[in-house]
Each structure stands twice: as structure tokens, then as C-alpha cells.
Amino acid sequence: MKALATVLLVLGLIVLVGAVVGAPPASGEEEIQGVTWLTDLDAARAEARTTGRPILIVFR
Amino acid sequence: MKGVDINVYDFDFDLTFAVLLMNADGTIYHRYGGRDWTDPQSHLSVASLVDVLEKTLPDHASYAKKPSPPKKRRAVSVDRMPAMLRKKRQPNCYHCHMVHDAMTEERQQRKVFKRSDVWRYPDPHELGFQVERDDQVRIKEVVPTSAAAKAGLKEGARIYTIAGKRVLSLADVMRALHEARSGPGRLEVTFWQDGEERTGAFPLRKGWKEPVPLNFSWRASKWKLSPKPGFGGQQLKPAQLAKLGLDEEAFAFRVGYVVTWGPARHTGQNAIRAGIRKGDVILSFDGDNEFESVDHWHAWFRLRKKAGEKIKVTLLRGGKRKTITLPVVD
């Protein structure tokens, strides 16, 4: 139960996978099995505000 | 969890895996990742997660037409909670379950703690139903004469809303039950059954949220609760039971530790005074050994026993049965 929160902006499953595979992770991002996740909750919300996408947050 | 505002990112902090699906304004559409006592992954599956993701998208689209952002509340993170700030040594890493621990400790320190404070995120079993793993709004089982049966739910029904809130997952169902009043009262449920939409209500008795110890047994937050037995150990496997001449299906555990350290050391000292020794095989408590696991027994002890009571503990030591009296201490 690590307190790591990972955040993904969701467009839809097909778009989600297509959009994130191959993108190199930048600062505040983490790549897990080819999917780039944001690791900063505030940054994710700011991006979701800009793009109008919903947010998927994982706590584990 | 350090720095995570639990007033915004609000979920069942006893968890295996928790997902929040939310709007940038802080509105949480749905939750995913609930579990029951049987297995940490009892309700985790790709099929159910995909189902929740797909069904959240239209909810997000309709919310955009009429947004209703939650009221802004003071930010609270586990590392800034008073119970954590009072610790001499601050943890380096804050696990999710430490949120519940900090809440409990805080109320214990202020001497306002009540057992009902831990009746969080009730398992649907408390109302007499279970949901499927892959389709988490589909009813897997309804206990006859339970609140679920009285609400009209049957196996195969699909829940649509609870208290007017759309649910998509076990975590959503548990959240809706968490937000419901402790009772007595009624909790409205809408569902699809036999090809039509129906409305029913769970009748809620006073104290309905109090968990059955087995349903509570998986929660990490149980360890902070008192009274504590002051000892524990590993459950014996069938071959070990047979070797001791015991029923292979019986519950028994070997005492692997007695708590003689930390703030709860008085509980271990109490157990030693009563006659508990490391290596003893514990067979029953007041003749009761209907436990599924050692965690189940720990939950039972904490939820059902009260300081001042005395328990007859039957144990096996050196091949001989012995019964001792264990006073329950806070």
C-alpha cells in the first residue's frame, strides 16, 4: 500500500493508449508499462482544466 | 500520502488499490477498488475497471453541461494531522491507511473516541448482499430476510443508484453506504430487475454500520483499536493441526509474539500475567473458535470485547490442554 498517487487524464480507452504510448516521461511524470502517468496532483488538475478531460487517479 | 489533501482526494484509506475518477474542479464522479475480507483483490479486475472508465466518460460529458463544483474546504493532509505532528519522530513515508490511524489516534487522545468512529465504508454484506467482481453493480447474492431482500433485490439485479447517486463499482456502493446515516431509517435504491427499473429501500436498523468482525478483519486500521489481546501469531495449517491431534478444519494459532514493547506493552504484560506463553497453541476463547483467520480473531477481539471482561482461553502447551483466564484491558 504505497502512498504513491499516479494520475492519468482520460480521453477514452483507445485514445488513452494511443496518446500515451511512446511519449518519453518528463519531470513530474512516470512511465509504467508504456503508459505515462503524471505524479503531481496539482499539475494533473491544471492540465485537466485546460483540456477538459476527466482525471483518473490511482492510490496504491 | 504526504501533502495529499484528504478533503479533496477522499476515499477508503484502508485499501489494496484505490481509483478516483474526477473532474478538475474536485468533483469525484466515481471510485473503484473496493474489496472484501476474502482476498485483497476480491473486486479488482480489468473488466470491471474498463467498465467503470467507459461509463464515467458520459457522466463527465453531462457534468460539463451543468457543473456543480464542491465547496472549497480547508486542506488537510495526513502529515499535518495533530496526531502525526505530536509524534516525536515523523514517518518518512505516509501510507494510505495511516489516515484512518491518525483520525483514530486523534480522537483517542482527545478522549472522544467511540467505536462507531471506525464504522467506515460498510461492506454490502452488512445489508445482506454481495456484488460480482467483473460487473460490480450486479447482485451476486442476497441473504434471505436481510435489508437487501426487504428492498426487493434479488440475485442478478443491477443496482443503478443508492440515495440518488449513480453507482458503478463496489467502491461506489461502499461510499454510498458510508455516507448514509447510521440509522434507523431507509436508504433508497434503484435497480434493474426482470427487465424493468424498480425502486426500493434498505430498511436501516440502529447501528447497522457496525461491522461483523469478519467483514472488518482485512482493515489495517483495526490495529489501532482497543482492547488489544497483546499477543498473536500464525494460524496452523491442516497438517500442523493433524500432527497435534486436532481437527484439520479447526481454527488454532501458535503464539508467535507477545507485545512487550511500545505503547501497548501493558497488553502483552497482561497476557503474560494471565499465563500466555510464546509457542502456546491457542484453541478457543470462551469456547468459541469460529474464526476464519487470525485477522478475524483480532477484529473480533477489538470489536466485541470490552475492558473489564474476562475471557477463558483454551490452549495447548506441551501436548496438554489448559484453560486460563485473560482479563481484557484497554
Side-chain angles (χ1 to χ4, degrees), chain B residues 231 236 244 246 251-255 258 271-289 311-326:
Chain B
F231 60 98
L236 298 188
L244 291 169
L246 300 169
F251 170 82
F253 70 91
R254 190 180 298 281
V255 177
V258 181
I272 289 168
R273 274 196 301 277
I276 298 288
R277 298 289 178 269
K278 208 171 155 182
D280 286 347
V281 172
I282 305 295
L283 304 177
S284 66
F285 298 85
D286 287 335
D288 187 358
N289 70 347
I311 308 176
K312 297 275 184 205
V313 182
T314 303
L315 55 86
L316 203 58
R317 185 185 298 160
K320 289 184 181 164
R321 276 179 191 253
K322 189 175 161 103
T323 298
I324 60 149
T325 301
L326 176 72

Side-chain angles (χ1 to χ4, degrees), chain B residues 55-308:
Chain B
K55 287 175 180 158
T56 297
L57 291 172
D59 285 354
H60 176 64
S62 56
Y63 178 84
K65 292 174 194 157
K66 200 180 173 186
S68 55
K71 279 185 186 165
K72 201 159 187 177
R73 296 168 66 192
R74 184 175 61 88
V76 175
S77 62
V78 61
D79 50 299
R80 306 303 301 165
M81 290 170 76
M84 288 296 176
L85 292 173
R86 274 197 286 270
K87 289 190 187 302
K88 284 181 187 163
R89 192 181 293 172
Q90 305 294 320
N92 291 325
C93 179
Y94 288 85
H95 296 207
C96 296
H97 70 86
M98 291 166 83
V99 175
H100 284 161
D101 292 350
M103 289 172 175
T104 298
E105 269 185 57
E106 176 62 15
R107 294 186 68 77
Q108 286 171 338
Q109 285 167 5
R110 286 170 47 212
K111 302 199 183 302
V112 293
F113 176 77
K114 303 188 301 291
R115 287 191 181 204
S116 57
D117 290 338
V118 300
W119 300 350
R120 304 179 180 107
Y121 289 86
D123 188 303
H125 284 89
E126 309 298 350
L127 293 180
F129 70 100
Q130 288 183 61
V131 295
E132 300 277 2
R133 187 181 74 151
D134 290 342
D135 181 354
Q136 299 192 358
V137 294
R138 190 174 188 277
I139 302 293
K140 183 180 177 184
E141 190 182 333
V142 175
V143 176
T145 75
S146 66
K150 287 171 185 162
L153 287 168
K154 291 182 195 164
E155 184 187 328
R158 303 188 76 250
I159 299 179
Y160 190 65
T161 66
I162 296 178
K165 172 98 174 148
R166 175 122 192 256
V167 296
L168 297 181
S169 64
L170 173 63
D172 276 352
V173 170
M174 290 170 79
R175 176 69 183 192
L177 302 187
H178 177 72
E179 289 178 335
R181 55 186 296 174
S182 290
R186 291 165 69 80
L187 183 63
E188 191 177 280
V189 55
T190 61
F191 52 99
W192 286 92
Q193 189 167 278
D194 302 328
E196 60 184 48
E197 188 177 345
R198 298 181 183 195
T199 300
F202 298 108
L204 305 177
R205 58 176 171 75
K206 189 180 174 191
W208 71 272
K209 287 187 179 181
E210 180 176 6
V212 170
L214 185 59
N215 292 343
F216 190 73
S217 61
W218 62 270
R219 292 186 172 275
S221 55
K222 72 178 175 294
W223 300 112
K224 285 284 173 198
L225 303 185
S226 291
K228 299 174 172 66
F231 60 98
Q234 291 279 325
Q235 186 172 354
L236 298 188
K237 295 187 170 120
Q240 294 170 303
L241 291 165
K243 206 171 168 182
L244 291 169
L246 300 169
D247 179 348
E248 288 182 28
E249 291 181 9
F251 170 82
F253 70 91
R254 190 180 298 281
V255 177
Y257 65 89
V258 181
V259 180
T260 53
W261 65 91
R265 60 185 175 279
H266 64 285
T267 61
Q269 288 158 352
N270 172 66
I272 289 168
R273 274 196 301 277
I276 298 288
R277 298 289 178 269
K278 208 171 155 182
D280 286 347
V281 172
I282 305 295
L283 304 177
S284 66
F285 298 85
D286 287 335
D288 187 358
N289 70 347
E290 297 293 315
F291 301 105
E292 295 288 336
S293 64
V294 176
D295 275 341
H296 181 189
W297 166 69
H298 275 292
W300 169 83
F301 198 98
R302 286 160 169 79
L303 293 175
R304 293 288 159 85
K305 295 290 120 187
K306 287 185 180 152

